[in-house]
Amino acid sequence: MLAMNYRGPFRVRLDRKPDPEILHPYDAIVRVTRSCICGSDLHLYHGLVPDTRVGMTFGHEFTGVVGEVGSEVRKLKVGDQVLVPFNIACGSCNFCKQELFGNCHESNSQATAVGGIFGYSHTAGGYAGGQAEYVRVPYADVGPTVIPEGMDLDDAVLLTDVVPTGYQAAEMGGIKKGDTVVVFGAGPVGIMAARCAWLFGAARVIIIDHLEYRLEFARNYAQCEAYNLRSLGDPVLFLKKTTDHYGADVCIDAVGCEAAGDTMQTLLGRKMLMQGGSATALHWAINSVKKGGIVSIVGVYGPIDTLVPIGNVVNKGLTIRANQASVKRLLPRLIEHVQSGVLNPKGLITHRVPLEEVSEAYHIFSAKLDNCIKPILIPSAA
Ligand SMILES: NC(=O)c1ccc[n+]([C@@H]2O[C@H](COP(=O)([O-])OP(=O)(O)OC[C@H]3O[C@@H](n4cnc5c(N)ncnc54)[C@H](O)[C@@H]3O)[C@@H](O)[C@H]2O)c1
Ligand SMILES: [Zn+2]
Ligand SMILES: [Zn+2]
């Protein structure tokens, strides 16, 4: 089959790889119909996540058609059109029972933090991903969800990560009616988080980024205020001033370990790799939320040893909540939101690229060229 192949930092290409096979009675093989590139893939592409191995196929956001099922698969049938959550979850461990599907203990038994993830580094189990023609899907009766009749595949594929992650970011923020919410990062995840903040009753939603085209997109898509961090001087001071000097009720970090905006953090964490990435957005989130506020983190901090102002967390009495999105838990509600028109995920898609051009798609998304918000890859058979 054709599949994306990681060759080292900033180098990916399309290669022929062996077709995946059923390795376990609970597996299914899925023929991919759509697969996205995510900001999380960029951390891999930029060589920042430990144990990202040459030869890996990335891709944790995909839809497809079930081509084959293992002998113990009961719910899924050959021919089903499915969307597949990015978390690989067994469905029966202690964590899955609490609906913490992103923290499954079985799918990534080497680790005690994150569960298995498709197409990520070996720290997330080393499973091959969906930027390919076919993919092996373990625990096939647990994660994959049959795409409801009439739902657009472009909406469905965004229900595998971006929509639940944005929604969970807002949910973890504990947003109450009348709250002011600040979202750092106007990528697909941050824009979706801003959109979802309204659903929880926010009275004011502010998004911060340094890419003008994304701020403009966010203003239209999420109907929020949007500010360029480069023009704010000190973003923390600006946010304090605009919130009666108290700070925001909720701050959401939808940036993660590759934040711009602080020369020292960029130099030490992203250029010289002397600390694990830069935590500038998290820094700003902690410092611009009000005392007793909530910081919700969905930005990924894959590298270890990231420096954050932990003293201020203590002195301000903050609640910080973070996790990988628990996609399966949120899907029923989010499918309803898409079907009723409350959410319009496919509106985030700016680039539809043949799988053959995967290398170009990574370049455009990584370098933020051509007003790119969200690229999806389409195999020729789809
Ligand atoms: N927890 C989860 O389940 C989960 C799921 C998906 C993605 N993620 C993570 O969420 C983050 C966002 O994903 P995405 O796909 O939107 O990525 P993206 O790279 O498209 O967007 C990140 C945005 O942050 C902006 N940015 C950089 N520095 C900033 C700063 N200091 N302040 C404000 N904005 C800044 C960038 O310009 C960019 O627009 C990534 O870290 C990704 O790994 C987490
Ligand atoms: Zn993703
Ligand atoms: Zn589990």
Side-chain angles (χ1 to χ4, degrees):
M1 67 165 177
L2 293 172
M4 174 273 191
N5 187 347
Y6 175 68
R7 306 311 301 158
F10 293 92
R11 287 168 58 216
V12 305
R13 67 180 188 221
L14 195 77
D15 269 333
R16 290 221 160 263
K17 286 190 164 192
D19 286 353
E21 290 172 6
I22 301 274
L23 299 180
H24 189 279
Y26 293 125
D27 287 352
I29 303 297
V30 167
R31 177 174 62 76
V32 175
T33 51
R34 296 282 185 281
S35 86
C36 303
I37 305 177
C38 175
S40 299
D41 294 321
L42 295 182
H43 308 317
L44 302 171
Y45 180 66
H46 298 155
L48 282 171
V49 183
D51 208 3
T52 304
R53 299 188 190 172
V54 167
M56 269 306 280
T57 293
F58 300 162
H60 56 267
E61 307 178 1
F62 57 92
T63 58
V65 181
V66 177
E68 203 185 334
V69 292
S71 58
E72 292 297 319
V73 174
R74 295 288 171 263
K75 294 188 200 151
L76 219 58
K77 300 181 309 296
V78 169
D80 280 347
Q81 291 232 40
V82 288
L83 63 95
V84 182
F86 76 88
N87 338 93
I88 302 175
C90 76
S92 50
C93 70
N94 273 334
F95 299 93
C96 285
K97 278 187 195 145
Q98 298 171 64
E99 299 195 308
L100 292 165
F101 296 109
N103 309 101
C104 174
H105 213 56
E106 295 297 319
S107 61
N108 188 18
S109 52
Q110 304 295 324
T112 51
V114 75
I117 298 178
F118 287 101
Y120 221 65
S121 105
H122 275 63
T123 58
Y127 295 90
Q131 290 165 10
E133 292 181 306
Y134 296 93
V135 60
R136 178 177 79 94
V137 175
Y139 309 108
D141 279 337
V142 181
T145 299
V146 173
I147 299 172
E149 194 73 26
M151 180 179 280
D152 194 320
L153 283 183
D154 291 356
D155 282 325
V157 73
L158 291 177
L159 284 166
T160 64
D161 182 344
V162 168
V163 182
T165 301
Y167 187 88
Q168 186 169 314
E171 182 191 59
M172 288 193 301
I175 299 168
K176 296 183 299 301
K177 207 165 178 320
D179 275 358
T180 295
V181 179
V182 175
V183 180
F184 293 92
V189 170
I191 293 172
M192 189 52 73
R195 177 70 191 81
C196 291
W198 297 115
L199 302 181
F200 290 86
R204 195 175 171 199
V205 181
I206 298 171
I207 202 163
I208 308 279
D209 202 297
H210 63 108
L211 299 171
E212 233 9 275
Y213 80 88
R214 287 188 163 202
L215 292 167
E216 190 52 38
F217 191 98
R219 270 182 211 112
N220 293 325
Y221 187 91
Q223 257 116 54
C224 58
E225 295 168 52
Y227 299 102
N228 192 326
L229 62 94
R230 307 261 181 228
S231 65
L232 293 179
D234 179 350
V236 175
L237 208 59
F238 167 79
L239 289 167
K240 283 277 171 71
K241 278 189 184 151
T242 186
T243 53
D244 289 334
H245 297 277
Y246 283 122
D249 300 288
V250 178
C251 280
I252 294 172
D253 173 354
V255 180
C257 61
E258 296 193 65
D262 181 296
T263 313
M264 191 59 87
Q265 291 240 11
T266 300
L267 197 67
L268 290 181
R270 293 172 59 201
K271 304 275 188 257
M272 296 163 74
L273 302 182
M274 290 178 71
Q275 66 174 50
S278 74
T280 306
L282 179 54
H283 228 99
W284 292 344
I286 290 171
N287 289 344
S288 54
V289 78
K290 72 176 185 193
K291 288 182 272 189
I294 297 183
V295 174
S296 161
I297 309 171
V298 288
V300 160
Y301 289 90
I304 45 178
D305 301 326
T306 307
L307 295 185
V308 294
I310 194 71
N312 289 352
V313 173
V314 177
N315 291 336
K316 293 175 81 171
L318 298 188
T319 301
I320 292 189
R321 300 190 66 192
N323 209 342
Q324 297 287 337
S326 182
V327 177
K328 183 180 163 68
R329 174 176 68 82
L330 296 166
L331 274 179
R333 191 177 324 162
L334 295 175
I335 286 173
E336 264 177 40
H337 280 337
V338 173
Q339 287 178 320
S340 67
V342 169
L343 293 175
N344 164 28
K346 65 172 178 291
L348 290 171
I349 296 169
T350 50
H351 289 67
R352 306 166 59 82
V353 185
L355 177 64
E356 285 74 10
E357 292 167 30
V358 61
S359 161
E360 178 69 2
Y362 266 86
H363 174 61
I364 290 173
F365 186 50
S366 164
K368 311 290 192 265
L369 303 175
D370 199 23
N371 291 348
C372 183
I373 302 282
K374 187 75 177 172
I376 60 170
L377 300 166
I378 307 178
S380 57

